[in-house]
Amino acid sequence: MLFLKSLLFIVWNIALGTLLLLKVRWFLFNRRQLVVLGLKIPLTPGFLVRKRDWLFNKVRDILQDYLDQAENKARKSGYLNKWEEQIWQTVWDQTGFIDDWVFLPRGFKDKIHTAVASAVREVASKILRKAVPHFIEQWRVEHRIDEYDDQFSIDFFYKYFRQYVFKPLLLAFLAINLIIGVLNMALFLILA
């Protein structure tokens, strides 16, 4: 009878190791939001499911925000306007040598300085607000994001996780926990 009780150590250790690995899989790949008594269970849906959805939604939001800013040049609060102002300021600083020209009046120097900085800003503005959105439309970036969203579904990641991570870890956990269970059984039989 004592020997049969000691065999439970092996079963217990293997069950704990397998349960731990199943919990890791559930934590990463659980697809549904669980609700119990009207309360949402934290960590559901799974971590990779949430982050994958968050990533694709974020890419779509960034692309749409860029296109909105490129379309509306009067909008002064966006990052495109800040980039244009930084370009203008950089060109203004880099063309400081114009102030060293001796034979030109100060008014002409300021006009040249301003004209060069403004021309470079306008070129950058045309590139950022016209060329880049044209390329986005021409290369169908929005459709490619949707294609990648479909292509890299959670099933894609789960297939490789199961093949290259879960199965080898499961076998390793079973072997290690079998050895630990046998050692616990031997220790129990020695102490009993």
Side-chain angles (χ1 to χ4, degrees):
M1 184 69 171
L2 189 62
F3 181 74
L4 290 177
K5 284 183 182 178
S6 68
L7 287 177
L8 288 176
F9 280 107
I10 296 173
V11 174
W12 177 252
N13 281 316
I14 290 175
L16 278 178
T18 306
L19 184 64
L20 177 67
L21 198 56
L22 290 174
K23 284 297 182 185
V24 168
R25 183 182 69 179
W26 180 84
F27 172 71
L28 294 174
F29 292 102
N30 180 29
R31 295 171 195 257
R32 296 180 300 139
Q33 174 76 45
L34 297 178
V35 178
V36 175
L37 301 175
L39 299 172
K40 293 181 179 178
I41 305 295
L43 303 178
T44 60
F47 181 77
L48 288 180
V49 174
R50 283 181 289 147
K51 291 306 172 188
R52 184 198 153 281
D53 293 342
W54 174 85
L55 176 69
F56 280 105
N57 290 335
K58 190 69 169 173
V59 167
R60 286 185 187 102
D61 290 344
I62 289 171
L63 181 64
Q64 190 59 45
D65 184 47
Y66 182 86
L67 292 175
D68 291 343
Q69 287 185 35
E71 186 177 303
N72 188 4
K73 190 169 184 167
R75 183 176 166 185
K76 298 295 181 188
S77 62
Y79 54 84
L80 282 182
N81 190 45
K82 289 179 185 175
W83 290 352
E84 291 169 357
E85 292 304 318
Q86 286 176 349
I87 289 169
W88 187 88
Q89 188 62 44
T90 302
V91 172
W92 179 270
D93 294 340
Q94 295 295 322
T95 56
F97 64 89
I98 294 174
D99 292 335
D100 297 337
W101 293 351
V102 180
F103 297 112
L104 274 175
R106 183 79 190 150
F108 285 137
K109 291 178 187 179
D110 289 341
K111 285 181 182 178
I112 292 170
H113 212 153
T114 303
V116 169
S118 296
V120 172
R121 177 177 56 189
E122 287 303 314
V123 168
S125 177
K126 295 287 185 200
I127 291 171
L128 292 173
R129 294 182 186 271
K130 300 281 188 227
V132 172
H134 174 73
F135 288 135
I136 288 173
E137 182 180 333
Q138 183 179 359
W139 293 335
R140 301 172 43 121
V141 171
E142 293 169 334
H143 297 292
R144 293 196 192 271
I145 292 171
D146 293 336
E147 289 172 5
Y148 287 138
D149 189 8
D150 293 338
Q151 182 180 2
F152 296 114
S153 67
I154 204 64
D155 294 329
F156 171 81
F157 291 110
Y158 182 67
K159 179 178 86 172
Y160 286 103
F161 171 79
R162 189 179 63 235
Q163 183 178 358
Y164 294 113
V165 177
F166 186 71
K167 285 185 179 178
L169 274 179
L170 182 63
L171 294 174
F173 267 67
L174 289 175
I176 291 170
N177 287 320
L178 177 68
I179 293 169
I180 292 173
V182 168
L183 292 175
N184 286 339
M185 181 183 81
L187 186 64
F188 176 76
L189 289 174
I190 290 171
L191 293 177

